[in-house]
């Protein structure tokens, strides 16, 4: 096809399909959606949902059900939501339907239905609470709506007897999309109207040379979905498990990456006490606990079985306690240095600047103290991490200031850096970041 300037439409096909409304929220799907739409962590989503529940605005959030029984009173809930101006126009559309029937999923929970708004107005909400409440209400409305109608168009283009394929999908009837906006995640790619034998002008022909890519890293939301798939933890504890991994320094980053400490911990336990990291054992007892809840097994026999298993694990752990402690101590020191080292000390040029904790908060200091007494103050109102970059202007290390609900900001450690003394908004912002004002 090299050098070709014209191509011909060889074939064109259109096909329509119905897209069903989403299922009602269980806890896991709500946490995943909250992270996708608003980047709110699974743990915070659960905390917010719990607050909304205690204020009477939504149903009990710790559920694995995707079903809404009629006994919750669909019309009554919609009539209450009708009083909230934000949703009244959409609710009127739903109440005009002859039947109200949700599109339910297969997952059930004997104790609680799927998450739904009660219709009670939650009152004053902060930004994230408002986002979670809006997501729950709109998901609830969407489940009762009509299918969306979409159309896929495929065009085969013949260029010197080589077939190129163009494919696009567009929405013809929005259906439930109207009720779930702005949370609908659908790509619209509408192709131009063409007929067979139409001539196509070739602007450019490009050969892509690509390599296969590794799987994407887990996010705080996708790892919860994976835990559910593997039946590890419970719907109420999975977000806490993930949060604990971050708090203890086993993992880091939004695209979750295991730290040296996390990797060495798993390697050490697999070496000396593999049963502790055996997910099969954990899954087994989760399933046994479920059987107790369902009345299929007696708690005494499960507890005796668990006691025997844990006793064996503890004996084996005690046998290798010194070796485990020594390897984990070394890993902890390596990880601490990795997470606190900002770069070479710009004064002595020999030591490393590291984040230290003091009586009045965090500061940066050279690790060759008292030989080198270089120190820098750090903002006290933000989480400080190494930026792993050097200031282009003064060559001092940069740090990353992370605040809840704000974009991370980089700034230079050097209080006399020329970037902090430029005129106008840029210089003012640099000073305020370094001082912890913004």
């Amino acid at each position: 096809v090299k050098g070709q300037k014209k191509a011909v439409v060889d074939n064109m096909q259109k096909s329509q399909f119905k897209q069903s409304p989403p299922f009602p929220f269980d806890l896991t799907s709500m946490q995943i959606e909250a992270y996708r739409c608003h980047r709110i962590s699974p743990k915070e989503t659960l905390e917010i949902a719990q607050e909304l529940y205690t204020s009477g605005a939504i149903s009990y959030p710790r559920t694995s059900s995707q079903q809404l029984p009629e006994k919750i009173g669909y019309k009554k809930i919609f009539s209450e939501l009708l009083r909230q101006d934000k949703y009244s126009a959409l609710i009127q559309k739903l109440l005009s339907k002859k039947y109200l029937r949700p599109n339910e999923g297969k997952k059930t929970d004997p104790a609680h239905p799927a998450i739904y708004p009660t219709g009670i107005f939650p009152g004053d909400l902060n930004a994230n609470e408002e986002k979670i409440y809006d997501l729950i209400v709109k998901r609830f409305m969407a489940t009762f709506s009509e299918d969306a109608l979409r159309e896929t168009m495929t065009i085969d283009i013949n260029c010197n007897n080589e077939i190129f394929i163009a494919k696009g999908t567009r929405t013809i009837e929005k259906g439930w999309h109207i009720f779930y906006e702005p949370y609908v995640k659908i790509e619209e790619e509408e192709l131009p109207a063409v007929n067979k034998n139409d001539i196509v002008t070739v602007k450019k022909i490009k050969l892509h040379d690509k390599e296969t890519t590794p799987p994407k890293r887990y996010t705080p939301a996708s790892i919860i979905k994976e835990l559910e798939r593997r039946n590890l933890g419970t719907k109420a504890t999975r977000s806490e498990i993930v949060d604990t991994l971050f708090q203890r320094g086993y993992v880091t980053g939004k695209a979750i990456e295991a730290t040296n400490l996390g990797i060495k911990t798993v390697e050490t336990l697999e070496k000396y006490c593999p049963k502790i990291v055996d997910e099969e054992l954990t899954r087994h007892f989760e399933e046994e606990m479920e059987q107790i809840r369902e009345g299929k097994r007696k708690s005494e026999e499960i507890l005796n079985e668990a006691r025997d298993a844990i006793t064996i694990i503890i004996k084996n752990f005690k046998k290798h306690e010194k070796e485990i402690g020594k390897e984990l101590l070394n890993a902890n020191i390596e990880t601490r240095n990795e997470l606190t080292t900002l770069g070479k000390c710009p004064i002595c040029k020999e030591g490393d600047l590291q984040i230290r904790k003091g009586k009045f908060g965090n500061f940066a200091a050279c690790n060759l103290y008292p030989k080198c007494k270089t120190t820098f103050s750090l903002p006290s109102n933000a989480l400080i991490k190494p930026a792993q970059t050097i200031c282009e202007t003064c060559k001092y290390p940069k740090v990353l200031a992370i605040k809840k609900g704000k974009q991370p900001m980089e700034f230079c450690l050097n209080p006399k850096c020329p970037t902090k003394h430029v005129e106008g908004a840029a210089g003012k912002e640099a000073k305020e970041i370094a001082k912890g004002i913004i």
Side-chain angles (χ1 to χ4, degrees):
V1 296
K2 190 176 180 181
Q4 294 293 317
K5 300 297 181 185
K6 299 289 181 184
V8 179
V9 174
D10 197 57
N11 191 29
M12 187 275 291
Q13 286 184 329
K14 286 183 180 179
S15 61
Q16 293 184 353
F17 63 95
K18 289 183 177 181
Q19 186 185 44
S20 299
F23 299 142
F25 276 142
D26 63 303
L27 177 58
T28 302
S29 59
M30 180 180 70
Q31 288 171 316
I32 291 168
E33 197 74 341
Y35 189 81
R36 178 184 73 82
C37 298
H38 301 301
R39 285 297 181 263
I40 299 175
S41 74
K43 186 187 178 192
E44 188 182 355
T45 297
L46 177 54
E47 288 170 353
I48 291 171
Q50 186 64 33
E51 285 296 317
L52 291 172
Y53 166 67
T54 54
S55 67
I58 67 167
S59 62
Y60 190 66
R62 290 177 169 88
T63 176
S64 56
S65 175
Q66 293 176 320
Q67 299 183 0
L68 295 167
E70 281 190 53
K71 65 182 180 182
I72 68 171
Y74 307 146
K75 279 199 173 179
K76 184 183 176 184
I77 293 170
F78 283 127
S79 297
E80 291 295 325
L81 287 171
L82 192 61
R83 300 179 184 179
Q84 298 180 34
D85 293 341
K86 186 176 180 179
Y87 308 114
S88 59
L90 293 171
I91 297 294
Q92 284 172 351
K93 286 185 180 181
L94 287 174
L95 288 175
S96 66
K97 290 180 65 177
K98 193 173 182 181
Y99 300 106
L100 284 173
R101 190 176 294 114
N103 182 42
E104 298 178 309
K106 292 181 181 179
K107 289 166 65 178
T108 60
D109 187 322
H112 305 283
I115 300 167
Y116 63 90
T118 61
I120 296 172
F121 185 68
D124 291 333
L125 300 175
N126 65 33
N128 279 359
E129 287 170 342
E130 172 64 35
K131 288 171 183 175
I132 296 298
Y133 181 69
D134 187 62
L135 191 62
I136 292 169
V137 173
K138 287 186 174 175
R139 181 67 163 232
F140 180 71
M141 292 191 295
T143 62
F144 285 87
S145 185
E146 306 294 336
D147 294 345
L149 183 63
R150 305 198 76 209
E151 180 183 76
T152 296
M153 182 176 179
T154 305
I155 304 172
D156 294 345
I157 301 169
N158 187 328
C159 183
N160 201 23
N161 294 322
E162 291 291 335
I163 303 298
F164 293 81
I165 298 171
K167 195 172 184 179
T169 302
R170 66 188 182 105
T171 301
I172 297 174
E173 294 175 11
K174 284 191 169 184
W176 62 268
H177 294 187
I178 296 168
F179 298 88
Y180 202 49
E181 289 174 346
Y183 309 120
V184 181
K185 186 186 176 183
I186 287 169
E187 291 184 6
E188 296 284 337
E189 290 183 9
E190 188 170 355
L191 298 181
V194 296
N195 295 305
K196 191 172 180 178
N197 298 325
D198 280 357
I199 302 298
V200 177
T201 301
V202 179
K203 290 184 177 179
K204 182 169 67 174
I205 295 174
K206 186 175 180 181
L207 178 65
H208 292 279
D209 187 8
K210 292 185 177 182
E211 295 179 352
T212 56
T213 55
K216 287 183 179 180
R217 293 189 184 277
Y218 288 117
T219 66
S222 66
I223 199 168
I224 283 178
K225 188 175 183 180
E226 182 66 15
L227 287 172
E228 182 184 54
R229 190 185 70 79
R230 297 190 186 194
N231 198 17
L232 297 172
T234 68
K235 51 186 175 285
T237 61
R238 287 178 188 122
S239 60
E240 194 68 42
I241 289 168
V242 175
D243 190 61
T244 300
L245 293 177
F246 280 97
Q247 296 297 330
R248 293 183 182 173
Y250 296 141
V251 298
T252 186
K254 287 185 177 179
I256 299 175
E257 188 172 349
T259 63
N260 183 55
L261 177 61
I263 294 167
K264 287 289 175 64
T265 299
V266 172
E267 287 177 350
T268 302
L269 292 175
E270 282 180 338
K271 182 178 175 182
Y272 295 108
C273 199
K275 274 289 179 184
I276 287 183
V277 289
D278 180 10
E279 69 175 65
E280 190 55 51
L281 181 70
T282 305
R283 180 164 45 247
H284 169 71
F285 282 114
E286 291 288 1
E287 289 168 355
E288 300 278 72
M289 293 292 285
E290 190 59 42
Q291 288 188 334
I292 294 172
R293 283 189 284 270
E294 294 173 0
K296 295 177 181 177
R297 297 284 298 273
K298 292 183 178 178
S299 58
E300 293 80 10
E301 56 183 287
I302 303 301
L303 287 172
N304 288 335
E305 185 186 343
R307 190 183 297 113
D308 292 342
I310 291 168
T311 301
I312 293 168
I313 289 169
I314 291 172
K315 281 182 180 177
N316 194 33
F317 187 89
K318 283 284 184 185
K319 196 188 297 180
H320 301 286
E321 196 168 16
K322 286 185 179 178
E323 294 94 331
I324 292 171
K326 185 179 177 182
E327 292 194 20
L328 292 186
L329 175 63
N330 291 334
N332 195 35
I333 292 169
E334 288 173 18
T335 302
R336 183 194 66 196
N337 291 339
E338 179 186 312
L339 295 177
T340 61
T341 300
L342 303 174
K344 278 291 174 190
C345 176
I347 307 302
C348 72
K349 313 288 185 184
E350 295 177 16
D352 290 323
L353 282 180
Q354 293 184 328
I355 299 171
R356 293 282 185 258
K357 285 186 179 178
K359 189 190 293 186
F360 303 106
N362 290 343
F363 63 97
C366 180
N367 66 347
L368 292 184
Y369 178 88
K371 181 182 174 183
C372 176
K373 296 183 179 179
T374 302
T375 60
F376 297 94
S377 61
L378 293 172
S380 58
N381 63 344
L383 174 65
I384 303 298
K385 287 189 174 184
Q388 296 178 337
T389 56
I390 299 296
C391 178
E392 293 177 2
T393 305
C394 69
K395 307 305 178 187
Y396 275 51
K398 282 186 169 186
V399 295
L400 203 60
I402 302 168
K403 286 187 182 181
K404 195 172 182 179
K406 292 188 176 181
Q407 286 291 324
M409 293 183 175
E410 276 189 11
F411 70 92
C412 176
L413 271 180
N414 183 5
K416 296 179 181 178
C417 179
T419 59
K420 295 175 185 174
H421 298 278
V422 297
E423 296 298 320
K428 184 183 176 184
E429 185 183 35
K431 287 178 188 174
E432 288 179 341
I433 294 169
K435 290 177 181 177
I437 297 170
I438 63 171

